Amino acid sequence: MKGSIWKDNNYYEISRLAFPIALQNLLSALVNSVDVVMLNFVGQSAVASVSLASQYSFIMWCIFFGLGTGLTILGAQYYGKKDFKAIEVIEGIALRLTLAVGILFFAGTFFAPKILMGFFTNDSSLVDLGCQYMRVVSFSYVFNSIVEVYFGTLKSISRVKASTVINVSANIINIVLNAFFIFGWFGIPVLGITGVALATTIASVFRLAACLVLSRISPDVKLRFSLIFVRNKVLFSDFIKMSMPALFNDLLWGLAFSMYTAIMGHLDSDAVAAFSFVAIVRNFGQVLCFGVANGGGLYLGKILGENNLEKGWEVSKNLVILTVLTGAVGGLVIFLLSPFVLSFASLSTEAYDYLKKMLFINCFYVMGSAVNTTFICGIFRSGGDSKFGLVCDAITMWAYAVPICLIVSFVVRLPVMGVYLVMCTDEFVKWPVVFGKYRGKSWLRNITRENVA
């Protein structure tokens, strides 16, 4: 390869999409970290309860991402084909399904938060605090369901800058409001944990309003609720084939991580608090990895939609190189952030010791996550293969990781760090089959249809 790889056209195109997405991920991680930082002044119980309560929104986002897979896979390939009418139909299908999910999760967290919190902990103080948070934040689920569909449509046609600007603005609003509501600035009542939920909800309202404004001036795709009623049996069938395996894949993966949190919640409240801090730091380590996986997958899908399979294979190899690099960078980021996190966290002695060891493990764990995310959610899905990830995660997470963690926790009764170390093997056991799938090239295909819309 002549010259620097960074000047290669494929690397430029991948970076053009990956970095705005990584910036969105970074701002999202920053908001989560600010929540923890500010709640740290409220108390360790506030940090732990929000971490537990957030597991339901985490599951909801996994479903959103799964449905978004059908939107971005098909949208990116039809964008390569320059069929914007098909993209609009796909947007309507995604909006119909995602909005239904948002309403369902709103109803559950608003009307039955105590039942939901009880699954993750039997600590009554954490349950009560979590219920306060869940009832307020539940309204954001409906707003976010609409926003994510429009953002997914924009991403599928390689317009990631607009969604980045909106997300950056919304996240800044979220951070500022967190401070106002938690600390009671300018005469505002001190709301504590409820203030965090309220800030999140107001930021989601801003995102939706900004999307509606952007839609009015956009020359490409619009956020039109009338698209919900558009019917196209062929595209609906293709959407279901692409999104349902991805949805169940992301849902099973998300539920497994929620099970990890539940296991920690029933082992030790100190472990939950440390686990909460680690999740925030790991998010910072993964922003570039996930940006490359998502941005690279969009670009690869566009190439495959143009029916340029040979170039698609070359792009995938470029993605693998970038993944290894960003995984290494992610581990370094966690290593460099660890001293600052340890010096800041107001935790008990035992929780502090857990946190120190968990951070060290995650310096290496992030590479496993980076590689699997790029292959399963980026490369394979770009060619329409979302079934592999479902089978792979169903086996590794639910036939291996979760049962093993339950056994070592409640039967063998390993210490907390022994359980956590077992949890962190889940990504690496996937590698042999993931690499084999990639080399087989069965994912390398154009899935668009002629005159479908």
Side-chain angles (χ1 to χ4, degrees):
M1 184 179 297
K2 295 181 180 180
S4 170
I5 60 173
W6 301 106
K7 294 181 181 178
D8 183 270
N9 185 56
N10 288 341
Y11 287 99
Y12 169 76
E13 292 295 338
I14 293 170
S15 300
R16 186 175 65 84
L17 295 171
F19 282 114
I21 294 173
L23 179 60
Q24 293 182 50
N25 293 338
L26 177 62
L27 264 295
S28 178
L30 181 61
V31 169
N32 291 336
S33 65
V34 168
D35 285 354
V36 173
V37 167
M38 293 183 184
L39 285 171
N40 190 56
F41 291 100
V42 179
Q44 181 174 310
S45 294
V47 175
S49 61
V50 169
S51 174
L52 295 174
S54 296
Q55 294 307 304
Y56 286 98
S57 62
F58 174 62
I59 293 170
M60 180 194 70
W61 282 105
C62 288
I63 298 175
F64 284 176
F65 293 150
L67 292 172
T69 297
L71 172 60
T72 53
I73 287 176
L74 292 170
Q77 290 220 3
Y78 277 105
Y79 177 57
K81 202 179 186 66
K82 302 302 179 187
D83 189 344
F84 285 93
K85 186 174 287 292
I87 293 172
E88 280 197 337
V89 174
I90 296 163
E91 180 188 6
I93 295 168
L95 188 58
R96 186 160 67 242
L97 297 175
T98 306
L99 184 57
V101 172
I103 293 171
L104 179 64
F105 271 81
F106 158 75
T109 51
F110 184 79
F111 293 107
K114 192 168 186 177
I115 295 174
L116 298 179
M117 280 296 297
F119 174 76
F120 287 103
T121 181
N122 49 14
D123 187 321
S124 59
S125 64
L126 295 185
V127 170
D128 291 340
L129 287 171
C131 289
Q132 294 175 35
Y133 176 85
M134 291 176 81
R135 282 200 174 96
V136 177
V137 83
S138 62
F139 292 94
S140 70
Y141 300 163
V142 178
F143 305 134
N144 285 329
S145 66
I146 300 169
V147 170
E148 286 306 304
V149 171
Y150 190 54
F151 280 174
T153 307
L154 291 174
K155 287 178 183 178
S156 71
I157 62 171
S158 300
R159 287 189 61 196
V160 294
K161 291 181 181 178
S163 59
T164 300
V165 171
I166 293 174
N167 268 333
V168 168
S169 302
N171 286 330
I172 292 173
I173 290 172
N174 198 340
I175 291 171
V176 172
L177 290 178
N178 273 338
F180 276 65
F181 294 145
I182 290 175
F183 301 119
W185 290 354
F186 300 102
I188 295 175
V190 176
L191 299 177
I193 196 171
T194 304
V196 174
L198 184 58
T200 300
T201 301
I202 292 174
S204 70
V205 173
F206 168 83
R207 291 208 312 159
L208 178 56
C211 285
L212 292 172
V213 172
L214 177 62
S215 173
R216 289 185 64 85
I217 62 176
S218 174
D220 300 315
V221 293
K222 305 288 187 180
L223 178 55
R224 293 190 289 123
F225 292 98
S226 60
L227 293 174
I228 292 176
F229 305 104
V230 175
R231 296 290 186 267
N232 185 301
K233 290 183 179 180
V234 175
L235 282 176
F236 183 79
S237 175
D238 286 347
F239 183 92
I240 294 299
K241 288 177 182 177
M242 298 299 108
S243 62
M244 286 300 105
L247 186 154
F248 286 112
N249 179 189
D250 293 345
L251 184 58
L252 286 176
W253 181 86
L255 286 172
F257 268 82
S258 293
M259 280 294 297
Y260 292 166
T261 304
I263 289 170
M264 286 293 175
H266 284 87
L267 286 178
D268 192 331
S269 61
D270 287 325
V272 175
F275 201 63
S276 304
F277 275 97
V278 168
I280 297 300
V281 180
R282 184 171 62 236
N283 285 342
F284 280 104
Q286 292 175 329
V287 291
L288 268 179
C289 310
F290 290 173
V292 167
N294 292 325
L298 291 171
Y299 177 59
L300 181 55
K302 176 178 175 290
I303 298 301
L304 297 179
E306 295 170 353
N307 207 35
N308 193 343
L309 303 188
E310 183 177 350
K311 184 177 180 180
W313 176 246
E314 292 302 316
V315 171
S316 75
K317 290 191 288 187
N318 299 149
L319 267 175
V320 173
I321 294 172
L322 285 176
T323 296
V324 174
L325 291 175
T326 55
V329 169
L332 181 61
V333 167
I334 294 173
F335 178 78
L336 294 175
L337 286 177
S338 295
F340 298 98
V341 175
L342 289 167
S343 64
F344 167 79
S346 298
L347 300 174
S348 67
T349 302
E350 190 170 10
Y352 180 89
D353 185 58
Y354 290 153
L355 177 59
K356 185 177 180 179
K357 294 173 181 175
M358 288 177 181
L359 287 170
F360 178 75
I361 292 171
N362 274 271
C363 292
F364 305 94
Y365 180 77
V366 69
M367 180 63 80
S369 176
V371 169
N372 289 326
T373 300
T374 294
F375 278 117
I376 294 174
C377 300
I379 294 174
F380 300 160
R381 289 184 182 180
S382 69
D385 190 344
S386 54
K387 293 180 181 178
F388 172 81
L390 171 60
V391 175
C392 182
D393 279 341
I395 294 173
T396 56
M397 301 298 281
W398 288 96
Y400 164 75
V402 171
I404 289 294
C405 287
L406 288 171
I407 290 171
V408 299
S409 299
F410 305 114
V411 179
V412 180
R413 296 189 179 278
L414 285 181
V416 168
M417 287 313 304
V419 175
Y420 186 74
L421 188 60
V422 172
M423 286 181 182
C424 291
T425 63
D426 60 350
E427 295 288 356
F428 296 98
V429 298
K430 302 175 189 176
W431 276 15
V433 291
V434 167
F435 292 147
K437 174 70 174 180
Y438 173 69
R439 288 193 295 267
K441 298 186 181 181
S442 61
W443 54 270
L444 194 65
R445 58 197 178 114
N446 175 7
I447 57 173
T448 62
R449 301 173 185 268
E450 296 295 332
N451 303 316
V452 70

